[in-house]
Amino acid sequence: MARHTLKKLMLPTLALLSALPMHSTFAADDTVNVQRGIVGKGEGNDVYILSPALIDSDAEITISDTQGSNSLQLIGGLSINSSLIAADTLQLTLDNGAKVTVLGASTMKYLTGGDPLTGTLGAERNYSSFSIDILGGSVPTSGVNSANATVIKSDGSADISPTLEDGGTDTPSLKTYAIVDTNQSKCYNSSSGSETSCTGSGTDADYAGNQPDYTVSSDSLTVIDNVTGITWTKSADTNQDGSIDVADKLSPTAAASYCQNLTLGGISDWRLPDIKTAYSLIDFSGLDPSGYTGTDTSQLTPFLNSAFTAAFGDTANGERIIDAQYATTSIYVSTTMNGDETMFGVNLVDGRIKGYPTSSSFYVFCASGNESYGVNSFTDNGDETISDSATGLMWQKSDTVSLGWEDAINTCEASSTAGHSDWRLPNVKELQSILDYTRSPDTSSSAAIDPVFNATSFINEEGEQDWQSYWSSTTHANYTGDGSAAAYVSFGRALGSINNNFLDVHGAGAQRSDNKVSPTAVGGVSMGTDANGETFYYHGPQGDILRNDHMVRCVRDI
């Protein structure tokens, strides 16, 4: 039966099930071995056990219990042929023909593996993480998603069979690394920076990806990202004193320990995110407040969804408003500045990734669930394209030069690589997804990208072999509404000029921005002569090198 037909049948069926009377109810805090029929609506915190040894063949089972904090435990060896996943309803079809429908699925905890005889509960996940990690699917905001076969293992993990797209035999639909859209909805005139209508020319706002979709927990302590399946701490208030300031900031080592030892919202498997996971949170409806001289942060728009509690730099303790860098586990494989050990952090106030000394302290968001996030799965298609089944994106294997941001957009819009006509310039979150943070010019003599790709080298301003940055389609607007700059990602050194010395100031893997038209259009720009005898431009406290000829690598949806 076609997948769309299953969805049409499931929705009315689930509505009928929710109206049925319960055949069995239980007392408080019971453990229930499910075999057949309709069970649930018991008081207390109940555990419903699905064991392959107990469930009747071809049984029709419905579990409905919205009282208390309840769990569904799936015992090792349980074999699921297919799953249908709705926002608050789950249906599992087992290999013995039994169907298990869970009403109120979003309120359940899901335990996999373990042994009820010894009281071992197994690995615990929320609905979103269970759908991704165990079923190989995802929770939709509306409608129904489907997933293929999976077998529960005794250690709490699962063997998942890839789900194939309708009509295809070789394209997995499972996206363990789904890119959350930038949420950019405005277009800008490249020269003036003023807002203009979107004309479908190929800018970020002309394309809609996986739109941000967050659910705040009932206790307001955590936030579920329904796109990635990751649960986050809602606030960076690590000392829990009710305010977010410099006292909440931690070193990278202390931040990792804090997350590892944290129990919050009933979750105990928190981790400090790597840079790719942390960057999933950035939201480019934000406006960069660099240059803002006021103190009223309520007038500012951070690069963070409103589901989270935003934090700014602690100006009362001498920090800048933009000092809102968040810690990650991603340590630069090379060094920045004058040999500094460096951590890649994401700044959710000014909208950038930069390398920061590990001796500094940072705000902290902890993550739980979908530990596969940020891991690519590249395939060389043999036709000058590379597919990433983890993100569902196809990339051009080779890069091309550009004459500026608009030229980069036009290059992709006109591309016909491998016979495809729907290429586009990637948004900055898509572009950052193909960075390889284990590589750098200084340590691997390459760009920070998987060697499955071709990357063009050049001689940089210092006179050394280097690899270029790449334009994204994403505008990096400032607090005045000026959208004359666009975000780019450094796959080579992120150079700066300080006291007539060229330094890798932010690291290969940084995300910064440049003027869309010309470096000379940047206010306060400085100029000099580089090691090649050519004029270069730089700006800002780290002397960021300004360029307009960033490379181009186009993308399309698989």
Side-chain angles (χ1 to χ4, degrees):
M1 182 180 295
R3 185 176 301 162
H4 66 274
T5 305
L6 281 173
K7 292 179 180 179
K8 290 178 180 178
L9 290 175
M10 186 179 178
L11 292 172
T13 301
L14 297 181
L16 289 172
L17 284 172
S18 65
L20 289 174
M22 295 300 104
H23 288 187
S24 304
T25 59
F26 300 89
D29 298 342
D30 269 324
T31 298
V32 183
N33 289 306
V34 178
Q35 290 180 283
R36 68 186 74 84
I38 303 174
V39 297
K41 283 195 173 178
E43 297 178 354
N45 306 321
D46 303 317
V47 179
Y48 297 90
I49 297 174
L50 299 183
S51 169
L54 296 176
I55 296 175
D56 291 348
S57 297
D58 300 316
E60 296 283 343
I61 300 167
T62 300
I63 299 171
S64 179
D65 189 345
T66 57
Q67 300 182 37
S69 178
N70 304 300
S71 303
L72 184 67
Q73 184 170 7
L74 292 79
I75 304 302
L78 187 73
S79 181
I80 301 169
N81 278 358
S82 63
S83 307
L84 294 175
I85 308 167
D88 200 31
T89 307
L90 172 67
Q91 187 176 90
L92 309 175
T93 300
L94 309 185
D95 66 344
N96 69 352
K99 286 188 177 181
V100 181
T101 301
V102 183
L103 303 180
S106 64
T107 65
M108 283 272 188
K109 296 177 183 177
Y110 294 84
L111 313 172
T112 52
D115 185 351
L117 295 178
T118 62
T120 306
L121 293 180
E124 180 180 310
R125 294 174 176 83
N126 59 32
Y127 184 37
S128 182
S129 295
F130 172 75
S131 297
I132 291 174
D133 297 344
I134 301 300
L135 301 181
S138 62
V139 180
T141 55
S142 61
V144 179
N145 286 345
S146 58
N148 271 13
T150 185
V151 178
I152 307 300
K153 299 168 67 175
S154 59
D155 64 1
S157 63
D159 285 329
I160 305 172
S161 298
T163 301
L164 301 183
E165 298 285 3
D166 290 339
T169 58
D170 59 354
T171 306
S173 64
L174 172 61
K175 299 176 185 177
T176 54
Y177 187 7
I179 307 301
V180 183
D181 190 71
T182 61
N183 200 33
Q184 189 154 102
S185 60
K186 295 180 179 179
C187 297
Y188 300 85
N189 180 283
S190 296
S191 298
S192 69
S194 60
E195 186 177 345
T196 186
S197 59
C198 295
T199 60
S201 61
T203 66
D204 187 342
D206 291 315
Y207 292 98
N210 301 308
Q211 293 302 296
D213 182 13
Y214 298 100
T215 301
V216 179
S217 63
S218 57
D219 56 13
S220 293
L221 296 176
T222 63
V223 178
I224 298 174
D225 184 336
N226 297 307
V227 175
T228 66
I230 297 171
T231 299
W232 294 90
T233 49
K234 186 178 188 296
S235 170
D237 183 14
T238 58
N239 63 11
Q240 299 182 1
D241 66 354
S243 61
I244 306 175
D245 51 35
V246 70
D248 293 295
K249 293 188 173 183
L250 301 173
S251 70
T253 300
S257 178
Y258 166 78
C259 292
Q260 184 178 4
N261 294 305
L262 180 66
T263 297
L264 185 73
I267 299 172
S268 58
D269 63 342
W270 295 104
R271 67 183 185 275
L272 185 66
D274 67 290
I275 187 62
K276 286 191 171 184
T277 303
Y279 198 63
S280 71
L281 294 179
I282 200 165
D283 185 316
F284 278 85
S285 63
L287 301 173
D288 179 10
S290 298
Y292 176 67
T293 57
T295 58
D296 183 5
T297 57
S298 68
Q299 304 299 312
L300 304 178
T301 306
F303 289 72
L304 181 67
N305 190 275
S306 60
F308 296 86
T309 302
F312 294 86
D314 188 353
T315 55
N317 282 287
E319 292 190 330
R320 303 169 300 172
I321 280 178
I322 63 171
D323 286 331
Q325 303 89 352
Y326 284 76
T328 75
T329 59
S330 298
I331 304 300
Y332 189 25
V333 292
S334 184
T335 59
T336 59
M337 296 297 187
N338 292 300
D340 293 344
E341 183 182 55
T342 298
M343 178 208 76
F344 284 107
V346 58
N347 190 320
L348 297 175
V349 167
D350 74 4
R352 294 178 172 90
I353 293 174
K354 291 183 179 180
Y356 302 97
T358 55
S359 57
S360 302
S361 55
F362 307 89
Y363 287 132
V364 180
F365 277 141
C366 302
S368 173
N370 193 5
E371 295 186 17
S372 297
Y373 197 83
V375 179
N376 303 97
S377 182
F378 293 125
T379 299
D380 189 333
N381 299 315
D383 58 0
E384 285 300 308
T385 69
I386 305 293
S387 292
D388 184 356
S389 60
T391 61
L393 297 174
M394 179 184 290
W395 294 89
Q396 291 179 340
K397 182 173 182 175
S398 300
D399 52 22
T400 55
V401 298
S402 79
L403 300 176
W405 185 69
E406 289 191 2
D407 181 59
I409 288 176
N410 293 336
T411 295
C412 290
E413 291 293 311
S415 179
S416 59
T417 300
H420 299 294
S421 60
D422 56 351
W423 294 101
R424 65 180 186 276
L425 189 65
N427 71 43
V428 71
K429 297 178 77 170
E430 293 170 330
L431 182 58
Q432 191 262 355
S433 77
I434 59 171
L435 275 165
D436 184 342
Y437 283 94
T438 69
R439 303 173 68 83
S440 78
D442 292 323
T443 58
S444 58
S445 298
S446 71
I449 194 170
D450 191 288
V452 72
F453 292 94
N454 297 326
T456 302
S457 64
F458 77 115
I459 302 302
N460 67 17
E461 289 81 358
E462 193 176 9
E464 294 187 351
Q465 184 185 36
D466 205 346
W467 282 263
Q468 267 280 17
S469 303
Y470 291 73
W471 280 119
S472 80
S473 64
T474 305
T475 293
H476 192 269
N478 72 15
Y479 71 99
T480 67
D482 185 336
S484 59
Y488 68 86
V489 174
S490 295
F491 285 76
R493 300 177 185 91
L495 284 185
S497 176
I498 301 177
N499 298 324
N500 296 318
N501 293 315
F502 292 104
L503 301 172
D504 185 0
V505 295
H506 297 306
Q511 174 255 300
R512 304 190 292 190
S513 61
D514 265 340
N515 187 273
K516 296 174 180 178
V517 176
S518 171
T520 59
V522 177
V525 66
S526 299
M527 62 183 293
T529 302
D530 66 17
N532 307 306
E534 299 179 356
T535 300
F536 75 97
Y537 300 91
Y538 62 101
H539 180 262
Q542 285 90 33
D544 291 4
I545 300 296
L546 307 181
R547 301 179 184 137
N548 193 241
D549 58 350
H550 300 301
M551 299 295 286
V552 180
R553 192 182 302 276
C554 307
V555 72
R556 61 180 295 273
D557 295 321
I558 297 176

